[in-house]
Structures are given as structure tokens and as C-alpha cells.
């Protein structure tokens, strides 16, 4: 049965609006232009992974089997200046516990750094929410969302015994038109990015001697409780 264009008279206009909106709000970063906030201890070893991501991985065999998460730093940016502090605090907490939850079954998590542990330092370099009102109407009349949340981070893993940088990342993620409806809520895209980076940390550590099967998961109750916060719609 052929599609009845009279049902959606603004169908083609919607496609144009989506394209223009995405281009104007989320223009791709220039290829290989590395951001530099000064947060990381060393930027020299980072290599471009794609147009918006830079990564470093130390091939050393000395990876401690304990990990400490330093409280997340939220850097001041043009976008974050307008975000209420309570939301910034909740988003930073969500990101930290997403990382804890991702690794807790495979490594001992410390509350204080020790002379032989992996010290995780992370900074949220930028935050921007999606506009749920725009997305509500665009999904109703155009079938797809037109406004997406964004997040950018810098992070590194440090061996506290040697001072070596074990890994480092600079990355920027933008929500997608193909995401689930939840992710087009105000902070859904940002939380999805945090979950993605937490999974990347788990995959990275799984490739190293840092993981051992003898550890346990002391933070499960805390992380489960945090995931029920009112940041979710």
C-alpha cells in the first residue's frame, strides 16, 4: 500500500529541519584537533581515534588489581554555566557510580587511594541537555526527535606506585535520532553517554592483568539505588 503523504503534510519539511538542526547544533569537530583543558596529567601520548575521540593505552604488564575513583570534576563550560548545580551534582554522581557498577565484579574498589592502585581521574568537560518539549512535538508530528543532548569528558588511569599514565581518553558524544525514546528526555542522551564510557572502562580493564576473579562487588546496593534517582523520566 503506497504511503499517503496527505497524512503528514510536513514530512519533507521535517526531514530538512532535522538535517539542519543536527548540522547547526552538533557540527563535527575538525579532524585530529585535540581539545586541551589542562585536566589530564599528560596529553602528549593521546592519538586520534576518530574526529571527536582521542585515546592512549599503556602496554605495560603492571596493572594493579585495586582501583580508586577520584570524585568527578565538572569543568566550567559555556553550556554547563546555565545548568542548575543540583543537576550537575546528580549527573556527576550518576557517572561515577556507572563506572563503579561496570567494574565492581572484577576488581577491588577503594574509598581512598593506596600506593599500589589504579587511580581513576575523570572530568566532565561539557554538558548540554536535550529539549524534551521539542522532542515531544517532533516525535508526534515528524515521527523523530530533533534535539539531542551532548557530553564531553577527559579521563585518565594512573598507577599510584609508579606515577605512570596507564590510559587516557578525550571524547565527545551526541545523542542519536535512533536512540530509544527515553534517551530523548532532558538528560537521557547524557546518561547514555556516561553508561557507554563506563562500559568502555570495563572493556579496557578486561584486557589487562588488573582484573581477577577473586574480587567481589561491595557497591551493588549503592549503584542500584543511584540508578533510581529522579534524573530518569
Amino acid at each position: 500500500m503506497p504511503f499517503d503523504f496527505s497524512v503528514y503534510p510536513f514530512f519533507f519539511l521535517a526531514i530538512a529541519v532535522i538535517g539542519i538542526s543536527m548540522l547547526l547544533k552538533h557540527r563535527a569537530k575538525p579532524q585530529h584537533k585535540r581539545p586541551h583543558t589542562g585536566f589530564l596529567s599528560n596529553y602528549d601520548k593521546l592519538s586520534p581515534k576518530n574526529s571527536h575521540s582521542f585515546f592512549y593505552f599503556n602496554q605495560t604488564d603492571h596493572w594493579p588489581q585495586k582501583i580508586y575513583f577520584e570524585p568527578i570534576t565538572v569543568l566550567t563550560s559555556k553550556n554547563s554555566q546555565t545548568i542548575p548545580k543540583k543537576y550537575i551534582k546528580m549527573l556527576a554522581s550518576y557517572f561515577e557510580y556507572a563506572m563503579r557498577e561496570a567494574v565492581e565484579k572484577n576488581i577491588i574498589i577503594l574509598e581512598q587511594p593506596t600506593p599500589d592502585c589504579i587511580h581513576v581521574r575523570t572530568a566532565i568537560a561539557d554538558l548540554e541537555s536535550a529539549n524534551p518539549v521539542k522532542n515531544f512535538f517532533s516525535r508526534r508530528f515528524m515521527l523523530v526527535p530533533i534535539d539531542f543532548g551532548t557530553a564531553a569528558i577527559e579521563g585518565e588511569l594512573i598507577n599510584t606506585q609508579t606515577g605512570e599514565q596507564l590510559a587516557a581518553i578525550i571524547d565527545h558524544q551526541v545523542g542519536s535520532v535512533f536512540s530509544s525514546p527515553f534517551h530523548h528526555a532532558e538528560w537521557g542522551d547524557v546518561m547514555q553517554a556516561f553508561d557507554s564510557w563506563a562500559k568502555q572502562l570495563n572493556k579496557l580493564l578486561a584486557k589487562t592483568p588488573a582484573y581477577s576473579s577473586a574480587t567481589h562487588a561491595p557497591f551493588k546496593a549503592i549503584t542500584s539505588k543511584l540508578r533510581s534517582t529522579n534524573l530518569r523520566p
Side-chain angles (χ1 to χ4, degrees):
M1 181 178 177
F3 184 78
D4 183 3
F5 288 100
S6 65
V7 178
Y8 296 103
F10 301 109
F11 181 80
F12 290 112
L13 177 61
I15 298 300
V17 169
I18 293 166
I20 294 171
S21 175
M22 293 178 68
L23 285 172
L24 291 179
K25 186 176 179 182
H26 304 301
R27 290 190 295 266
K29 303 289 184 181
Q31 185 73 24
H32 304 336
K33 184 178 180 181
R34 185 177 64 202
H36 191 302
T37 67
F39 175 79
L40 299 182
S41 61
N42 190 329
Y43 288 81
D44 296 338
K45 299 175 183 178
L46 286 159
S47 299
K49 195 173 180 180
N50 51 47
S51 62
H52 57 269
S53 181
F54 301 82
F55 186 71
Y56 166 69
F57 177 74
N58 192 325
Q59 298 293 335
T60 181
D61 291 329
H62 186 197
W63 284 76
Q65 294 186 344
K66 294 174 288 186
I67 195 167
Y68 165 70
F69 289 92
E70 178 181 303
I72 290 177
T73 298
V74 181
L75 303 176
T76 302
S77 67
K78 181 180 178 182
N79 293 323
S80 68
Q81 286 178 338
T82 62
I83 301 172
K85 290 182 179 180
K86 66 176 182 178
Y87 288 114
I88 289 179
K89 183 178 180 180
M90 283 191 288
L91 287 165
S93 295
Y94 180 91
F95 189 17
E96 178 180 343
Y97 284 106
M99 289 191 288
R100 287 178 178 243
E101 187 177 52
V103 308
E104 63 186 356
K105 293 182 180 178
N106 301 294
I107 194 168
I108 297 171
I109 300 177
L110 304 172
E111 288 305 300
Q112 295 294 330
T114 63
D116 188 16
C117 72
I118 299 170
H119 184 165
V120 181
R121 301 183 65 247
T122 311
I124 299 174
D126 195 20
L127 285 171
E128 186 173 5
S129 66
N131 188 315
V133 177
K134 284 184 180 179
N135 287 335
F136 172 80
F137 286 105
S138 67
R139 290 183 70 88
R140 186 176 178 86
F141 297 107
M142 304 177 185
L143 305 181
V144 290
I146 61 172
D147 198 79
F148 308 103
T150 68
I153 63 161
E154 294 189 10
E156 63 182 355
L157 309 183
I158 302 293
N159 184 327
T160 57
Q161 185 176 56
T162 65
E164 278 186 295
Q165 190 181 60
L166 297 173
I169 186 173
I170 297 175
D171 199 8
H172 171 260
Q173 290 194 25
V174 181
S176 167
V177 68
F178 301 108
S179 300
S180 70
F182 155 70
H183 293 128
H184 302 133
E186 185 173 12
W187 295 109
D189 291 326
V190 171
M191 294 166 73
Q192 183 184 35
F194 290 162
D195 288 339
S196 173
W197 286 316
K199 290 176 183 177
Q200 287 183 42
L201 174 63
N202 180 50
K203 288 181 180 179
L204 182 148
L205 292 175
K207 298 176 182 178
T208 75
Y211 273 3
S212 71
S213 59
T215 57
H216 59 288
F219 292 99
K220 195 69 179 177
I222 300 176
T223 55
S224 297
K225 182 179 180 181
L226 185 84
R227 286 186 175 277
S228 66
T229 63
N230 59 5
L231 279 175
R232 289 196 179 277

